[in-house]
Amino acid sequence: MDKNGKILLATLSGIGAGIVAGILLAPDNGQTTRDSVKRTLTKAGEDMERTMKNWMSKLEKSGTTGAGSSLVMHGSWDDVKGQLKQNYAELTDEDLMYAEGKEDELFGRLQIKLGKTKEDIVKLIDNIRNSL
């Protein structure tokens, strides 16, 4: 065998030995490891969202940003919508239609329907979200 062939064979053998060692010495199986990584990333995402909400709330209270800046309805909007429909029978699904990035349209519909200010509506939605 020539010199290049020996180097290639040694490299492939090293890679193969590394793969076998990794499989044999891994603390968990692949699914367990993926689940662990998913849980860790989910928790990190939730922690980041909570921190951002706190910062945005502080900015709103100081007057740096406008009311509604911290309103994030991902995932829980269906719960909030259900509670609003229970509390305000006059609200329809069309009134409560929410599209990300179009919060002002939602606030406008609710202001007209409920006769409240935008700040009142933001507080109302935040109170419902916090009680769920």
Side-chain angles (χ1 to χ4, degrees), residues 12 21 27 43 75-76 81 83-84 96 100 104-107 111 116:
L12 292 175
K43 184 182 180 324
S76 64
K81 186 167 79 170
Q83 190 64 46
L84 283 169
L96 296 169
E100 189 172 343
D104 286 335
E105 291 177 14
L106 171 66
F107 293 141
Q111 283 177 279
K116 295 182 180 286

Side-chain angles (χ1 to χ4, degrees), residues 37-53 72 74:
V37 168
K38 182 179 177 182
R39 278 192 305 275
T40 301
L41 292 175
T42 300
K43 184 182 180 324
E46 289 169 354
D47 291 345
M48 188 180 341
E49 182 178 356
R50 189 172 26 261
T51 300
M52 289 301 296
K53 285 179 185 177
V72 178
H74 310 292

Side-chain angles (χ1 to χ4, degrees), residues 18-102:
I19 290 172
V20 169
I23 290 171
L24 293 175
L25 299 175
D28 294 322
N29 66 30
Q31 183 64 43
T32 304
T33 301
R34 285 190 299 275
D35 290 344
S36 175
V37 168
K38 182 179 177 182
R39 278 192 305 275
T40 301
L41 292 175
T42 300
K43 184 182 180 324
E46 289 169 354
D47 291 345
M48 188 180 341
E49 182 178 356
R50 189 172 26 261
T51 300
M52 289 301 296
K53 285 179 185 177
N54 289 336
W55 286 349
M56 290 303 294
S57 179
K58 288 177 184 177
L59 289 173
E60 278 183 19
K61 288 176 184 172
S62 71
T64 305
T65 63
S69 299
S70 67
L71 187 63
V72 178
M73 293 185 268
H74 310 292
S76 64
W77 180 239
D78 287 335
D79 296 332
V80 172
K81 186 167 79 170
Q83 190 64 46
L84 283 169
K85 285 174 90 172
Q86 278 184 339
N87 295 349
Y88 301 94
E90 65 268 29
L91 294 177
T92 64
D93 285 334
E94 188 175 308
D95 294 329
L96 296 169
M97 189 171 29
Y98 168 73
E100 189 172 343
K102 297 188 177 189

